[in-house]
Amino acid sequence: MKFYITTPIYYPNSEPHIGTAYTTIACDVISRFYKQKNYDVFFLTGTDENSNKIIESASKLDKDPKEYVDDMAVLFKTIWKNLDIEYTKFIRTTEDYHIKTAQFVFKKLYDQGYIYKGLYEGWYCIHCETFWPSSKVDESKLCPNIECRRPLNYIKEENYFFKLSAFEDKLLKYYQENPDFVYPDYRFNEVISFTKSGLQDLSVSRKYNNWGIRVPFDENFSIYVWIDALTNYISALGYPFELDLFNKYWEVAHHMVGKDIIRFHAVIWPAILMALNLKLPQKIVVHGWLTYDNQKISKSKGGDIFNLKNIALSNDKIKISAIRYYLLREGSFGQDIPVSLERFKYIYTSELSNNIGNLFSRVLAIIDKKLNKQVFKESDFKYISLSFINEVINNFDKGLSNFNYSKAILEILNLADYLNKVIEENKVWEIKDNKLNQIMYELLYSLIVLNKMMYPFMPFISNSVIEQLNLDQDSLKWDSKVSEIINIKERRILFPKIENVDI
RNA sequence: GGCGGCAUAGCUCAGUGGUUAGAGCAAGGGAAUCAUAAUCCCUGGGUCCGAGGUUCAAAUCCUCGUGCCGCCA
């Protein structure tokens, strides 16, 4: 079994922020989840470096654009590493192999008649490299992008166009035949109604401006960054020059995207793939935005609520684990998610410290102090219901398989609650005779299962647990059996109380 | 304006024709002391947005209204 998951590639014209991290963590969790199930996983992320905005960002720092993107790529990789993001490949769209693929794709589309030269007339934002329809342009004639608002230019010029309009019927047919193509379903409905409303051809070139990928047969133009960016998903797998990885993984592709870029992934990209005669990705997974005060968190707004760079570079692995947990625990995946320090602190204290962390403490402490650090399986389970545990595991699996992260996390809490109840109801602290070993074995067994569930969200914590129990990495796999004798090597507090949230 | 969605406890939500409408959190009371003072139990609390309709039976289906949200390059 195999699985291919991608993040969007990120613009390195600013540093990654908590919203960027949310997307990447969501992919990492899924990737780790499938690895635990012994899937062959390919997890791709990277940077989208061919935008003209790069020139501007670089000049602000008095850097050469190439030097600038090199530095930013290092920063992204460092931050992802510190956040325990375990990607398979990091792609940069200024790399040779990617450029060759993007040009190959462009040429092939042109040769097949899907790209033609035409005349564009209308409003254009040079900074955003975006053509705006008159319906979006108000009297100020400023860029409709609220983060830009620079003056627009009215232009009339030649351009290369992609025949998106030719794919309307084929796309609608595909949507109908693949009702799970876009998740969640309400986003899919939007895609379908957009497509039904009629597709226009898309401008896919820009005047060459000493940066970006040139149109291979016309050096006056560069390839529109979005077209170049989308091809990263296949160039990273070697398409079309070395097809081993491509043949292996492309058919199980899952693109994780924010709701602002659905159209590129669920309409334009599929049309390009159809034009190339390639399979479409298995699923486009659309997440909402992190919000603060009802506004999308972005580099300019609310990024300081959770200062990602500080968090990542702090190397405070417990806090980083907690943030990974917090971001995916909240809300319903797909919807916007309000975040705040108060809420983070609350979740940390009540769920991670008091509930889960304390549960590990109380179980390990008893085994340490009263059973000489060792438990073993003496009989069939008498105190803990294995069918309950199996049901929890099934729900957890179903949740993550469907990108329902919060549901999966609620199953973690469900199991922790159950184990806390078992401890209370049996008053394990009063058990003195040889019954103690069996119940503690059952509890520790259950904690090892719980630890497997925690792993995709908080790999650092789960690794800490298996070190304490002197287990190996394989014990995190779903097909590994819990051994019949377990020793405690050492005890650690998993989530120390935090007095002040300093992020 | 067009298309779609939502409205259920203080909050976040589950509940698509069938007992007295549920969960988590918050609030109030109690128990326990293994544990990071962490946990467990109990209780209160709802005109299921409004009006009308279909039905033996409606939070659930239909119509209208109100309010909020999403998408419309």
Side-chain angles (χ1 to χ4, degrees), chain A residues 105 109 114-115 161-165 167-168 171 175 181-182 191 194-195 199-204 206 224-231 233 255 260-276 280-281 284:
Chain A
V105 165
L109 295 176
Y114 291 117
I115 283 179
F161 285 83
F162 173 62
K163 263 192 200 169
L164 187 59
S165 57
F167 294 90
E168 200 177 307
L171 285 168
Y175 297 153
F181 182 54
V182 177
V191 167
F194 171 79
T195 305
L199 298 178
Q200 295 170 20
D201 290 350
L202 178 75
S203 166
V204 290
R206 298 292 185 266
Y224 173 41
V225 279
W226 258 109
I227 301 303
D228 134 41
L230 288 166
T231 60
Y233 301 129
H255 297 317
D260 48 334
I261 54 174
I262 301 180
R263 187 178 307 149
F264 291 103
H265 288 83
V267 181
I268 297 170
W269 179 227
I272 292 172
L273 291 165
M274 284 174 170
L276 294 170
L280 304 205
I284 312 294

Side-chain angles (χ1 to χ4, degrees), chain A residues 350-410:
Chain A
S350 73
E351 295 184 358
L352 294 177
S353 283
N354 294 355
N355 197 327
I356 295 170
N358 181 60
L359 172 64
F360 276 87
S361 285
R362 61 200 307 206
V363 172
L364 294 196
I366 292 174
I367 297 171
D368 183 1
K369 293 175 187 168
K370 298 193 177 175
L371 292 170
N372 200 21
K373 299 182 194 291
Q374 188 185 77
V375 285
F376 57 94
K377 185 175 181 186
E378 228 175 321
S379 66
D380 289 341
F381 276 41
K382 290 193 272 198
Y383 304 94
I384 280 175
S385 158
L386 284 172
S387 63
F388 177 83
I389 293 200
N390 283 332
E391 194 187 322
V392 166
I393 292 171
N394 284 340
N395 289 337
F396 174 86
D397 188 273
K398 207 188 295 172
L400 271 190
S401 300
N402 291 309
F403 295 91
N404 194 339
Y405 296 86
S406 55
K407 188 180 172 201
I409 285 185
L410 288 178

Side-chain angles (χ1 to χ4, degrees), chain A residues 43-159:
Chain A
F43 169 18
L44 178 71
T45 188
T47 42
D48 180 8
E49 304 183 348
N50 292 315
S51 154
N52 268 307
K53 289 182 191 176
I54 296 297
I55 303 174
E56 193 182 314
S57 303
S59 71
K60 274 186 196 155
L61 297 175
D62 213 15
K63 282 184 184 173
D64 173 75
K66 177 65 180 150
E67 182 192 356
Y68 174 79
V69 291
D70 286 349
D71 291 349
M72 289 302 282
V74 169
L75 178 67
F76 272 78
K77 287 178 183 175
T78 305
I79 287 179
W80 296 154
K81 179 163 185 272
N82 288 357
L83 294 181
D84 294 326
I85 305 296
E86 197 178 68
Y87 55 77
T88 312
K89 184 183 175 90
F90 188 102
I91 186 171
R92 299 180 54 192
T93 57
T94 50
E95 290 175 285
D96 280 347
Y97 70 89
H98 172 76
I99 293 170
K100 288 197 175 98
T101 299
Q103 290 181 326
F104 173 90
V105 165
F106 201 92
K107 177 87 168 29
K108 187 164 178 186
L109 295 176
Y110 181 76
D111 288 344
Q112 293 186 320
Y114 291 117
I115 283 179
Y116 63 94
K117 206 168 192 181
L119 193 67
Y120 178 83
E121 182 173 357
W123 294 100
Y124 183 65
C125 175
I126 296 171
H127 183 257
C128 297
E129 297 172 69
T130 299
F131 293 104
W132 294 102
S134 50
S135 62
K136 283 225 169 180
V137 179
D138 61 23
E139 289 187 0
S140 69
K141 309 300 179 202
L142 297 177
C143 179
N145 176 359
I146 48 170
E147 294 195 16
C148 176
R149 298 305 279 168
R150 291 173 175 77
L152 296 170
N153 290 13
Y154 194 84
I155 60 167
K156 188 175 178 180
E157 63 182 33
E158 284 203 304
N159 239 302

Side-chain angles (χ1 to χ4, degrees), chain A residues 374-377 441 444 469 471 482-487:
Chain A
Q374 188 185 77
V375 285
F376 57 94
K377 185 175 181 186
Y441 175 81
L444 192 52
L469 300 178
L471 300 172
V482 177
S483 76
E484 302 202 345
I485 302 177
I486 310 164
N487 289 289

Side-chain angles (χ1 to χ4, degrees), chain A residues 391-485:
Chain A
E391 194 187 322
V392 166
I393 292 171
N394 284 340
N395 289 337
F396 174 86
D397 188 273
K398 207 188 295 172
L400 271 190
S401 300
N402 291 309
F403 295 91
N404 194 339
Y405 296 86
S406 55
K407 188 180 172 201
I409 285 185
L410 288 178
E411 292 301 333
I412 292 177
L413 295 170
N414 186 16
L415 179 53
D417 284 346
Y418 171 72
L419 299 176
N420 271 319
K421 283 186 185 45
V422 169
I423 293 172
E424 293 291 330
E425 282 165 8
N426 290 284
K427 294 189 181 357
V428 292
W429 54 89
E430 286 179 3
I431 301 176
K432 294 229 166 58
D433 53 23
N434 53 11
K435 279 160 66 184
L436 186 60
N437 169 68
Q438 178 63 21
I439 190 167
M440 295 316 294
Y441 175 81
E442 293 181 22
L443 284 165
L444 192 52
Y445 172 101
S446 307
L447 287 186
I448 290 171
V449 172
L450 184 64
N451 195 49
K452 290 184 189 186
M453 293 164 70
M454 288 159 55
Y455 171 76
F457 298 95
M458 301 182 288
F460 172 82
I461 299 295
S462 289
N463 280 319
S464 170
V465 169
I466 64 170
E467 281 169 26
Q468 292 174 61
L469 300 178
N470 212 11
L471 300 172
D472 58 24
Q473 283 288 320
D474 276 350
S475 64
L476 293 167
K477 300 267 189 182
W478 277 108
D479 63 359
S480 75
K481 295 257 188 302
V482 177
S483 76
E484 302 202 345
I485 302 177

